[in-house]
Amino acid sequence: MRKKIFFYVAFFLFSEVLSADIYKYVSPDGKVYYTDRPAHRFYKRIIRTRPSSYNWAVGRMKGNKQKYDDIIAKAASKHQVDEKLLHAVIQAESAYHAQAISSAGAVGLMQLMPDTAKRYGVRDRTDPVQNINGGTRYLKDLLKMFNSNLTLAVAAYNAGEGAVKKYNNSIPPYPETRNYVKQVLALYHK
């Protein structure tokens, strides 16, 4: 049984055709289930895919970055978040593509999920000003929540603050989240 589970997890983690987020659920009897379509709220996302437009947007990134520089600078100043961090997150999330939509329903430059957008008053997730301001406020709250620990805040931006707390305030053991943290921090320190 373990070999079978390992095969499915390996397939999900390393498949070139991966096109959806992957969720995991451990039932009360200890059985483990993986899916790209969670049936209930007890499934936890373990792999998040980029929007399908990400590779397309990378080719247009330089122009789009310049297009949003002023909005990013204003949001950084207004919410007192490092501008370089915002650029790193936006590049990793959407490659500066304001219309990006992930398979899980994250939208815009900072890939806001519907609940996060609602929490921060973002009505139009494709609007660059609203999206960047909402995402910036979320990052600021995560930095505060994790005592200015940049690594944990970035991990929480990707996997959710609940996942970081669940693993005793450490990066969750999800390969996608660990890679995301490395990517954002490398972009940030560049």
Side-chain angles (χ1 to χ4, degrees):
M1 181 66 176
R2 284 187 176 204
K3 286 182 181 180
K4 191 175 190 178
I5 290 172
F6 176 78
F7 169 77
Y8 288 119
V9 171
F11 173 78
F12 283 134
L13 293 177
F14 302 110
S15 173
E16 290 293 325
V17 296
L18 186 64
S19 63
D21 293 353
I22 304 300
Y23 298 82
K24 175 184 175 182
Y25 169 65
V26 180
S27 67
D29 63 1
K31 291 182 182 173
V32 180
Y33 300 89
Y34 296 93
T35 184
D36 61 345
R37 294 189 180 115
H40 50 74
R41 65 183 179 91
F42 298 109
Y43 275 90
K44 301 297 179 198
R45 185 178 63 200
I46 60 169
I47 299 174
R48 184 177 67 158
T49 58
R50 287 184 168 149
S52 59
S53 61
Y54 187 85
N55 289 337
W56 171 86
V58 167
R60 292 153 182 80
M61 193 163 52
K62 185 177 179 182
N64 284 341
K65 180 182 181 294
Q66 291 172 347
K67 185 176 176 181
Y68 301 118
D69 271 344
D70 288 343
I71 298 169
I72 294 166
K74 286 177 185 172
S77 176
K78 179 179 180 179
H79 303 294
Q80 299 176 339
V81 174
D82 190 337
E83 186 176 339
K84 285 174 51 179
L85 177 59
L86 295 182
H87 278 285
V89 168
I90 291 169
Q91 185 173 336
E93 289 287 345
S94 68
Y96 295 90
H97 181 42
Q99 305 300 316
I101 301 173
S102 78
S103 60
V107 172
L109 292 160
M110 296 191 76
Q111 289 292 280
L112 299 179
M113 293 296 285
D115 288 345
T116 305
K118 185 177 179 182
R119 181 171 155 190
Y120 291 98
V122 176
R123 286 185 226 127
D124 180 359
R125 293 181 291 156
T126 62
D127 176 79
V129 174
Q130 289 185 44
N131 188 285
I132 291 169
N133 275 289
T136 302
R137 288 178 54 216
Y138 183 41
L139 268 174
K140 181 178 182 170
D141 286 351
L142 292 172
L143 286 163
K144 185 177 179 181
M145 185 181 299
F146 295 107
N147 299 314
S148 299
N149 184 316
L150 184 60
T151 301
L152 294 182
V154 169
Y157 195 88
N158 177 264
E161 61 258 33
V164 172
K165 289 177 181 178
K166 176 182 175 183
Y167 289 99
N168 300 314
N169 287 339
S170 65
I171 300 172
Y174 315 145
E176 191 272 333
T177 299
R178 291 177 183 255
N179 289 334
Y180 177 84
V181 169
K182 286 178 189 173
Q183 180 187 14
V184 170
L185 294 181
L187 292 167
Y188 176 70
H189 293 297
K190 191 171 163 182

